[in-house]
Amino acid sequence: MRTYLDFEKPIAELEARLEETRKLADRTGVDVSEAVNVLEQSIDRLQYEIFQNLTRWQRVQLSRHPDRPYTLDYIERMCDQFIELHGDRTVRDDPAMIGGFGEISRGDGPGQTVMIIGQQKGRNTKQRQHRNFGMANPEGYRKALRLMQLAEKFNKPIVTLIDTPGAFPGLEAEERGQGEAIARNLREMMMLKVPVICIVIGEGASGGALGIAIGDRVLMLENTWYSVISPESCSSILWRSWNYKEQAAEALKPTARDMKQAGLIDGIIEEPLGGAHTHHEDMADILKNVILSNLDELNALSPQERISQRIDKFCSMGVVME
């Protein structure tokens, strides 16, 4: 059963009426095609009005929608084959960070083999505990780096899908070198010789997101956020309460549009009308086409050109022009 956020409730009411009308037609055999058509048009119009005028906090809420597709959902829909690889060869496997070789299908020829790496959340309580709510430990980031280096060895492009509330902040994570693991990823990803595409598909919080987000192309889905801190945590620091999260979201400007205007990402991937959580298949098709088109552009460059452009892009961020 679909979950609706507060601002989606008007859409939910119309969709309930549409469902009742269709059930009535099934029971009675009455032709309700005209009424169904009117309701469908009303739903589309209402969705357009609501989603064209979302606040920053509402986009944060959408990025966390429980029905939103996660990394494994995209892999299942984009890849003809996927071989998941496990472990960091030091501590253990981290279920919050997944990765492996996948073949992305092309309609007009052989598929493109890529290394896909991303954070994975869970759908229910048991899965969320197993995946640690998408918060990776140091071994998760070390696994990600191991897989990136493996991709470089076999000259395969890398695609990272970012969706995390942050790196796991537990004491044991700090004892095993959480900060060092993320910092090493930042350094090593900057120098990878293969094309690297990084896409924020949900939440992009703090160093937990940045640890797999250094690439030739950094993209964001339309209803996602990317920031050093979540609006709730920012509110709790500034106001000692989570009640000001909407104001914090406005001040942080964490949405895809904000990030593009600030020059911190390379592009925005539009979601189907109603959001990615209502159109998994369509969103996966859009994402696949974006990945393939960007890979075609990046494959035309030499490794040294890609590295130089990558370094220049990140070094130019935050520079004050006088």
Side-chain angles (χ1 to χ4, degrees):
M1 185 176 178
R2 182 179 162 187
T3 303
Y4 292 90
L5 300 175
D6 287 342
F7 60 86
E8 293 181 295
K9 292 295 174 61
I11 299 171
E13 293 172 4
L14 284 179
E15 289 183 342
R17 286 172 55 189
L18 178 61
E19 185 63 23
E20 289 174 6
T21 304
R22 285 173 171 161
K23 286 180 179 178
L24 177 64
D26 291 340
R27 287 197 309 268
T28 64
V30 176
D31 182 11
V32 295
S33 56
E34 186 175 344
V36 166
N37 206 28
V38 170
L39 281 171
E40 287 177 339
Q41 290 179 3
S42 298
I43 291 170
D44 288 343
R45 188 163 53 249
L46 184 59
Q47 281 183 329
Y48 181 80
E49 292 172 359
I50 289 174
F51 281 81
Q52 281 292 107
N53 298 288
L54 292 174
T55 66
R56 291 184 172 94
W57 172 244
Q58 287 171 335
R59 292 195 188 276
V60 170
Q61 289 179 292
L62 277 177
S63 75
R64 300 166 174 168
H65 199 291
D67 297 335
R68 195 172 179 84
Y70 297 146
T71 295
L72 283 174
D73 297 312
Y74 286 116
I75 290 173
E76 179 184 346
R77 289 164 174 78
M78 292 192 304
C79 297
D80 292 334
Q81 300 180 65
F82 178 69
I83 302 173
E84 185 175 356
L85 303 173
H86 299 271
D88 70 337
R89 300 296 184 267
T90 303
V91 179
R92 65 179 178 96
D93 185 51
D94 187 349
M97 184 78 74
I98 64 168
F101 283 115
E103 184 181 43
I104 299 179
S105 59
R106 287 182 183 266
D108 56 351
Q112 170 71 61
T113 300
V114 299
M115 176 64 77
I116 303 181
I117 300 167
Q119 288 102 354
Q120 176 66 28
K121 295 178 178 178
R123 292 284 175 202
N124 54 45
T125 301
K126 187 174 181 180
Q127 289 179 2
R128 287 172 187 140
Q129 289 176 333
H130 175 63
R131 300 288 183 183
N132 202 29
F133 299 86
M135 297 186 292
N137 279 277
E139 48 269 28
Y141 292 99
R142 292 181 179 125
K143 175 171 73 171
L145 179 57
R146 181 178 74 83
L147 299 187
M148 292 177 201
Q149 292 169 337
L150 186 64
E152 185 177 50
K153 178 179 179 180
F154 291 104
N155 195 32
K156 300 299 180 185
I158 298 166
V159 176
T160 68
L161 302 179
I162 299 149
D163 186 12
T164 180
F168 184 57
L171 179 61
E172 61 273 26
E174 298 299 333
E175 289 174 341
R176 293 196 299 274
Q178 185 74 286
E180 186 275 341
I182 293 173
R184 184 179 294 272
N185 279 22
L186 304 187
R187 185 186 70 182
E188 298 298 328
M189 288 186 76
M190 196 71 73
M191 303 305 295
L192 289 169
K193 296 177 182 178
V194 295
V196 184
I197 299 174
C198 309
I199 305 172
V200 181
I201 61 171
E203 298 184 89
S206 193
L210 195 60
I212 58 169
I214 304 296
D216 304 294
R217 297 283 190 277
V218 180
L219 310 171
M220 291 178 67
L221 268 60
E222 184 180 1
N223 296 313
T224 62
W225 66 278
Y226 192 22
S227 177
V228 69
I229 193 171
S230 71
E232 295 96 327
S233 297
C234 178
S235 173
S236 67
I237 291 172
L238 295 181
W239 288 281
R240 311 263 181 206
S241 168
W242 280 26
N243 295 332
Y244 299 91
K245 51 188 178 291
E246 291 92 342
Q247 292 95 314
E250 290 297 318
L252 287 169
K253 298 182 178 179
T255 66
R257 188 179 302 171
D258 296 321
M259 293 295 104
K260 186 69 172 67
Q261 289 176 350
L264 299 176
I265 63 170
D266 300 302
I268 300 171
I269 304 173
E270 290 189 7
E271 298 182 16
L273 182 62
H277 61 286
T278 62
H279 302 279
H280 287 206
E281 298 289 344
D282 292 342
M283 191 66 247
D285 285 340
I286 293 170
L287 197 64
K288 180 176 75 170
N289 292 331
V290 168
I291 290 170
L292 291 174
S293 63
N294 276 276
L295 284 179
D296 289 340
E297 295 175 9
L298 294 171
N299 283 329
L301 303 174
S302 69
Q304 193 53 51
E305 286 176 319
R306 285 194 295 265
I307 292 171
S308 296
Q309 289 181 14
R310 204 181 299 155
I311 292 172
D312 290 342
K313 177 174 70 175
F314 282 93
C315 286
S316 66
M317 293 179 184
V319 175
V320 178
M321 305 298 291
E322 295 184 1

